[in-house]
Amino acid sequence: GAVVSQHPSRVICKSGTSVKIECRSLDFQATTMFWYRQFPKQSLMLMATSNEGSKATYEQGVEKDKFLINHASLTLSTLTVTSAHPEDSSFYICSAPKAGSTDTQYFGPGTRLTVL
Amino acid sequence: QQPVQSPQAVILREGEDAVINCSSSKALYSVHWYRQKHGEAPVFLMILLKGGEQKGHEKISASFNEKKQQSSLYLTASQLSYSGTYFCGTEALTGGYQKVTFGTGTKLQVIP
């Protein structure tokens, strides 16, 4: 089956620093990728839709200047959390549907971000 | 708006059955079902498309009533491995192609 990877799987950083999370589709092309955030004991909340070759679309309430998204190629999207603060600590998960397919979202394994 | 799931939590003994419901306020194109284990990403179980279908494999099946904007996940003869949090994910007819909104979640615990 299709595989999506994320890197890093876990990151701890100091408050005020920026953190970059990569999401790669390993064996298929993804013109669209989705970024989710999940706080403990809560559901996954969609943050933004990453579009290859164009600007990302952000959900209401998500600061686009704080969560920078770049979809550099058909297999790579990056999420950069700028000037991270403890309240940004969360589980960040990306997903990608196969281009041209209406079926199935393939999820990355997630990145656990802890901001001290 | 986030789809609402019921129940919020359920405890089963091995071999018992369970039904998890998902209700949306929007007209839907599809409903997805996922299971998430603690500390891991969600794992895709199945997708049901507009057309009011029912799907399943082995002891896990689901139905989708597009008129009521509801879906149900059926777990029969539950096994310990079924434990986890189940999420429905809905894809609305309007609002973004392949954009999935996750439900509130149902925590399922299967005990021996």
Side-chain angles (χ1 to χ4, degrees), chain A residues 40-53:
Chain A
K41 298 185 179 180
Q42 292 187 24
S43 183
L44 285 80
M45 299 304 293
L46 180 65
M47 298 175 66
T49 303
S50 174
N51 305 298
E52 191 270 334

Side-chain angles (χ1 to χ4, degrees), chain B residues 14-35:
Chain B
E14 265 187 297
E16 290 182 337
D17 302 341
V19 180
I20 299 172
N21 301 302
C22 172
S23 183
S24 173
S25 59
K26 295 182 177 182
L28 301 176
Y29 171 73
S30 72
V31 179
H32 306 215
W33 283 97
Y34 300 86
R35 177 170 59 217

Side-chain angles (χ1 to χ4, degrees), chain A residues 33-84:
Chain A
M33 291 183 176
F34 299 97
W35 286 96
Y36 293 87
R37 178 168 57 181
Q38 185 178 33
F39 293 109
K41 298 185 179 180
Q42 292 187 24
S43 183
L44 285 80
M45 299 304 293
L46 180 65
M47 298 175 66
T49 303
S50 174
N51 305 298
E52 191 270 334
S54 64
K55 290 183 179 180
T57 306
Y58 291 82
E59 296 300 302
Q60 195 171 12
V62 177
E63 300 175 57
K64 62 180 181 181
D65 294 331
K66 180 169 181 64
F67 298 99
L68 302 179
I69 291 173
N70 183 20
H71 201 132
S73 72
L74 286 171
T75 59
L76 173 64
S77 174
T78 60
L79 168 68
T80 301
V81 183
T82 62
S83 186

Side-chain angles (χ1 to χ4, degrees), chain B residues 5-70:
Chain B
Q5 290 181 230
S6 63
Q8 286 185 318
V10 58
I11 299 175
L12 298 176
R13 291 200 178 274
E14 265 187 297
E16 290 182 337
D17 302 341
V19 180
I20 299 172
N21 301 302
C22 172
S23 183
S24 173
S25 59
K26 295 182 177 182
L28 301 176
Y29 171 73
S30 72
V31 179
H32 306 215
W33 283 97
Y34 300 86
R35 177 170 59 217
Q36 186 180 30
K37 302 275 187 178
H38 181 69
E40 300 176 8
V43 172
F44 172 80
L45 295 177
M46 67 185 75
I47 180 172
L48 300 101
L49 301 177
K50 191 168 84 76
E53 61 174 343
Q54 184 152 0
K55 262 191 172 182
H57 52 87
E58 296 186 353
K59 297 173 183 175
I60 301 176
S61 62
S63 62
F64 174 27
N65 186 326
E66 63 183 284
K67 289 183 180 178
K68 292 186 177 180
Q69 296 156 195
Q70 294 174 346

